[in-house]
Amino acid sequence: MSIMIDPSIRDEIIKSLSVLPYEKQKRVLKFILSLTELDQQTKGNDLIRFAGTIEKDDLKIMEREIEESCERIDLGEW
């Protein structure tokens, strides 16, 4: 997927970056990277194609295991 970069926005970003100290430039980069990660995360609509693909017996096993195992604290475990 190719995304067009608006030249005026790009130029304004570069202009603004050029006056920031190095550490703040790194923060900006980290922020931009976090935005691209959010865009690449799986959306709920992308998962709908998997609906109904787990067998009912397997779902019952999973449900039973969750009910029996989750939310229990084993004080001796630590």
Side-chain angles (χ1 to χ4, degrees):
M1 180 167 103
S2 178
I3 298 176
M4 192 71 174
I5 299 173
D6 183 308
S8 64
I9 293 174
R10 181 196 59 225
D11 294 344
E12 189 66 29
I13 290 170
I14 292 170
K15 179 180 167 187
S16 298
L17 275 173
S18 68
V19 299
L20 292 176
Y22 178 74
E23 287 302 315
K24 288 193 177 186
Q25 289 179 25
K26 284 179 29 179
R27 284 178 59 193
V28 170
L29 175 59
K30 186 175 180 180
F31 175 69
I32 291 171
L33 292 174
S34 74
L35 292 176
T36 59
E37 288 173 7
L38 290 175
D39 288 344
Q40 294 174 4
Q41 289 180 356
T42 303
K43 309 275 188 297
N45 288 341
D46 297 335
L47 299 175
I48 196 70
R49 63 189 165 120
F50 297 108
T53 60
I54 300 176
E55 297 292 327
K56 287 185 180 186
D57 290 340
D58 292 335
L59 289 172
K60 288 179 184 177
I61 292 169
M62 291 168 62
E63 182 179 29
R64 185 176 67 244
E65 288 298 319
I66 291 169
E67 288 174 358
E68 292 176 3
S69 303
C70 290
E71 297 185 18
R72 290 193 182 170
I73 300 172
D74 182 357
L75 297 176
E77 183 177 359
W78 300 93

